[in-house]
Amino acid sequence: MISDLADRLGLAPGARAIIINADDFGMCHAANTAITGLLSAGHIDSTTVMMPCAWAPEALAFAAARTDLDVGVHLVLTSEWTAYRWRPLTGTETSLVDAGGCFPADTLSIEQNADDADVAAEVAAQLQGALDAGVDVTHLDNHMGSVYGLLTGRDFLAQVLPLAAQHGLPFRLPRSMEGTADDAALQAKLTEAAGAADALGVEIIDRLWSHPFDAAPDESYEQVRDGFIALLRAVPAGVTEIYLHPMVDDDELRAVVDFGAVKRGHELRLLSDPAVLQAIADEGLVRIGWRALRDLQRSPRP
């Protein structure tokens, strides 16, 4: 299922466009070190900031000073790690917290317990915080898929899409499950959600891809890299976002996360690996950023 997005972006017929996005900017210093380096070198096309996290100020300062780079807001409703937690910007007198006063660790709790008005207030506060910090916000996406309704069917797109429309921002929402899963019910939900985005004039992507979040047993760096290259080679025509979580695998990261530090370190390495960069070139993949979608969304429609 391919939309006319690539055509409206002025890309050649049949173009295979990719946006390589780094999630979790601002989560910790290890994330910030990795992502600022990758952005500055042009090895990723965009990133999104987790506004409630302790290291968001460092990420925001970088983004405010580099408005030429594509930085969005990673809307957060969950706090998944055991030892390192974060709280809503709107305070703890809300349906968005667990018994400890932090966001819950899982998306199911959000889908079951979050009040619509509380979600709307929180995501608006997170976006406004980035704008107030001087960030030229290029897009919105969502941490852990907590607004999509993937577990119970109860989503919060009615709170997010009008916010995106109000600020002229595209939102990470794939039109198609192509290349990820054969799930008719989920595809039907995506089609409905895409219709809501279209009705509000919010630009969305054709598909959303990543590679496995967790490391396989005894998985080597070379296996991670080769799997990512295989994913790149499979990208079809249209606009595909590929998201990863590159971070420096150091003592701080290992203290923060319950698992996945090695994999995140591998992702940092592979994004600047000459073999990966060569695969992108060999495949003729067109690198674009979310700014192009934002500019399209804000331009007058014929």
Side-chain angles (χ1 to χ4, degrees):
M1 181 186 300
I2 304 175
S3 70
D4 65 347
L5 176 59
D7 292 339
R8 291 187 293 112
L9 287 168
L11 302 178
R16 301 158 64 207
I18 58 172
I19 304 171
I20 301 179
N21 188 83
D23 286 7
D24 296 0
F25 196 28
M27 190 189 89
C28 57
H29 185 61
N32 292 351
T33 300
I35 291 170
T36 55
L38 291 168
L39 270 177
S40 298
H43 295 321
I44 57 175
D45 304 306
S46 62
T47 188
T48 42
V49 183
M50 297 178 71
M51 293 297 298
C53 293
W55 282 91
E58 180 182 60
L60 293 170
F62 172 84
R66 292 296 309 271
T67 55
D68 57 312
L69 302 175
D70 286 20
V71 179
V73 176
H74 200 48
L75 299 173
V76 175
L77 297 175
T78 51
S79 177
E80 68 271 29
W81 307 120
T82 301
Y84 174 46
R85 310 295 310 284
W86 43 85
R87 304 172 187 272
L89 298 187
T90 48
T92 57
E93 298 299 318
T94 172
S95 61
L96 305 180
V97 298
D98 60 14
C102 298
F103 287 114
D106 61 292
T107 58
L108 179 61
S109 295
I110 286 293
E111 290 185 23
Q112 291 178 332
N113 302 319
D115 179 80
D116 289 350
D118 289 345
V119 171
E122 180 61 27
V123 297
Q126 291 180 21
L127 172 56
Q128 192 60 50
L131 295 171
D132 290 346
V135 179
D136 183 24
V137 176
T138 54
H139 64 297
L140 301 175
D141 59 24
N142 174 228
H143 187 55
M144 294 177 63
S146 56
V147 305
Y148 294 140
L150 299 175
L151 299 179
T152 67
R154 183 188 177 214
D155 64 66
F156 299 100
L157 295 174
Q159 287 67 49
V160 173
L161 290 175
L163 181 70
Q166 176 188 350
H167 291 271
L169 298 173
F171 176 62
R172 174 199 277 170
L173 177 70
R175 290 186 182 276
S176 172
M177 293 297 299
E178 180 185 10
T180 57
D182 184 15
D183 188 326
L186 182 54
Q187 181 57 63
K189 186 170 181 61
L190 284 179
T191 300
E192 179 182 3
D198 290 342
L200 289 168
V202 175
E203 295 291 350
I204 62 175
I205 51 177
D206 291 317
R207 62 194 69 82
L208 177 64
W209 285 11
S210 188
H211 62 178
F213 184 80
D214 298 332
D218 300 318
E219 185 177 43
S220 68
Y221 166 71
E222 288 74 21
Q223 288 172 311
V224 174
R225 179 200 61 201
D226 293 349
F228 188 68
I229 289 174
L231 181 147
L232 291 171
R233 289 174 174 158
V235 170
V239 178
T240 303
E241 185 192 84
I242 302 173
Y243 68 95
L244 300 96
H245 304 85
M247 299 185 187
V248 177
D249 180 9
D250 60 9
D251 288 344
E252 183 215 18
L253 182 61
R254 290 178 179 240
V256 164
V257 301
D258 299 333
F259 58 88
V262 173
K263 185 66 170 283
R264 290 173 184 233
H266 285 341
E267 291 187 350
L268 169 58
R269 182 178 171 187
L270 73 83
L271 285 167
S272 57
D273 191 312
V276 171
L277 302 178
Q278 189 61 51
I280 292 172
D282 290 346
E283 289 296 316
L285 298 174
V286 180
R287 299 274 298 274
I288 64 172
W290 278 97
R291 188 181 305 270
L293 276 72
R294 188 191 68 176
D295 291 347
L296 179 65
Q297 182 169 327
R298 293 180 177 181
S299 64
R301 296 206 175 193

